[in-house]
């Protein structure tokens, strides 16, 4: 092989190197875009069908949930997994529970970022349109408050509720007495902060008389995810409601 021939071949190899690097870069960028789109799709599907994040907009569930806590909600409840007494659930306003709220305007860039984060389930801009309470009564339950000890009863069984927050000196688990029977496909819900919760007790003048339709339930809150100092699994206290089914009328 002559020296001239070697030189021509070397020049051809050198001229192909930049093209090869460009192609590798384009393939790498393509893979990054595909991975990103798949991640977005998976996040969207998880948010739509499995779990979703909400923030706590009020003090009605203290001390179980503190205002501005972030919670993870299992959306398989109640369609796939049955809901139970004691579950903390997120639900859409049945009508008249929440005051009318003016739509807040945002700069276009912030609105776009908010929309994307909500799309993939990393933020919940509609948290203020939902409520978070604890289920006390299931369909058919007879819920009464209060007995001589200040306790609430379900189907004649007095409840000892360790999750309830009461003002100093108070022993009644509800400031106001009530006596209700939960209709079919509905729930009776209450906040843990009993003297500071606009729950079923205080929405009896609404069209559904304070009951929450099952179909309005978004899911069961399972864990406090943020801040880290508040991280905890959310218990539904099955021991509190032991014997209630046996007392059902």
């Amino acid at each position: 092989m002559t020296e001239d021939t070697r030189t021509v071949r070397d020049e051809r190899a050198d001229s192909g190197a930049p093209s090869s690097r460009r192609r590798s870069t384009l393939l790498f960028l393509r893979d990054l875009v595909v991975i990103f789109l798949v991640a977005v799709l998976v996040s969207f599907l998880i948010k739509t069908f499995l779990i979703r994040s909400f923030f706590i907009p009020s003090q009605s569930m203290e001390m179980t949930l503190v205002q501005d806590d972030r919670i993870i909600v299992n959306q398989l409840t109640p369609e796939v997994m049955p809901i139970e007494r004691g579950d903390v659930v997120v639900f859409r306003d049945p009508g008249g529970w929440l005051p009318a709220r003016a739509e807040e305007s945002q700069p276009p860039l912030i609105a776009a970022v908010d929309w994307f984060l909500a799309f993939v389930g990393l933020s919940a801009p509609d948290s203020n349109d939902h409520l978070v309470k604890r289920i006390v009564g299931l369909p058919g339950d007879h819920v009464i408050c209060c007995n001589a000890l200040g306790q609430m009863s379900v189907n004649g069984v007095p409840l000892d509720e360790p999750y309830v927050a009461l003002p100093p000196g108070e022993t009644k688990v509800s400031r106001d007495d009530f006596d209700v029977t939960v209709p079919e496909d509905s729930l009776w819900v209450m906040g843990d902060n009993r003297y500071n919760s606009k729950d079923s007790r205080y929405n009896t003048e609404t069209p559904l008389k304070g009951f929450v339709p099952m179909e309005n339930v978004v899911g069961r809150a399972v864990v406090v995810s943020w801040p880290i100092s508040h991280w905890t699994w959310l218990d539904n206290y099955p021991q509190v409601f032991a014997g209630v089914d046996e007392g059902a009328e």
Side-chain angles (χ1 to χ4, degrees):
M1 182 182 293
T2 66
E3 184 177 344
D4 290 342
T5 303
R6 287 198 302 272
T7 302
V8 170
R9 289 183 176 176
D10 290 344
E11 287 174 352
R12 286 177 179 172
D14 291 344
S15 64
S19 175
S20 177
R21 283 195 294 269
R22 281 196 299 271
R23 187 167 183 274
S24 296
T25 301
L26 289 174
L27 288 173
F28 174 71
L29 292 175
R30 183 201 66 182
D31 290 345
L32 278 183
V33 170
V34 170
I35 292 171
F36 173 76
L37 292 177
V38 169
V40 169
L41 177 60
V42 170
S43 297
F44 171 73
L45 293 175
I46 289 174
K47 184 210 79 168
T48 303
F49 299 108
L50 297 179
I51 61 173
R52 187 177 171 191
S53 173
F54 285 89
F55 72 85
I56 304 302
S58 74
Q59 301 173 348
S60 69
M61 283 297 293
E62 292 185 355
M63 298 300 296
T64 303
L65 300 172
V66 178
Q67 188 170 359
D68 295 329
D69 275 354
R70 296 262 174 182
I71 56 174
I72 301 298
V73 173
N74 172 13
Q75 294 187 112
L76 294 177
T77 304
E79 285 81 3
V80 178
M81 302 173 64
I83 53 180
E84 300 176 348
R85 302 177 190 90
D87 284 347
V88 176
V89 292
V90 172
F91 56 95
R92 295 182 298 275
D93 184 356
W97 286 45
L98 296 171
R101 190 167 58 91
E103 196 69 33
E104 297 180 4
S105 59
Q106 293 180 311
L109 179 60
I110 294 177
V113 171
D114 237 15
W115 177 87
F116 177 75
L117 292 176
F119 181 80
V120 298
L122 296 178
S123 74
D126 60 346
S127 287
N128 282 316
D129 301 324
H130 292 74
L131 298 104
V132 182
K133 307 291 180 190
R134 191 180 297 276
I135 296 174
V136 173
L138 294 175
D141 282 347
H142 187 194
V143 188
I144 302 175
C145 198
C146 299
N147 64 17
L149 298 177
Q151 296 171 302
M152 179 166 52
S153 298
V154 178
N155 300 332
V157 178
L159 306 182
D160 183 11
E161 303 177 277
Y163 45 79
V164 169
L166 299 176
E170 292 289 347
T171 56
K172 287 182 62 176
V173 296
S174 175
R175 175 174 43 235
D176 300 301
D177 294 344
F178 58 88
D179 185 336
V180 298
T181 299
V182 185
E184 185 178 358
D185 295 324
S186 298
L187 303 169
W188 180 263
V189 298
M190 299 173 70
D192 289 355
N193 191 358
R194 290 289 166 80
Y195 282 66
N196 189 19
S197 176
K198 192 172 183 290
D199 49 38
S200 287
R201 296 168 296 169
Y202 302 112
N203 285 286
T204 55
E205 301 302 317
T206 60
L208 296 179
K209 310 298 183 185
F211 299 106
V212 177
M214 286 276 199
E215 64 184 18
N216 281 46
V217 176
V218 174
R220 178 193 171 198
V222 293
V223 67
V224 179
S225 58
W226 190 261
I228 294 175
S229 58
H230 292 176
W231 190 94
T232 185
W233 291 102
L234 294 171
D235 194 356
N236 65 355
Y237 297 89
Q239 71 278 8
V240 172
F241 299 92
V244 167
D245 281 327
E246 287 75 5
E249 296 173 358

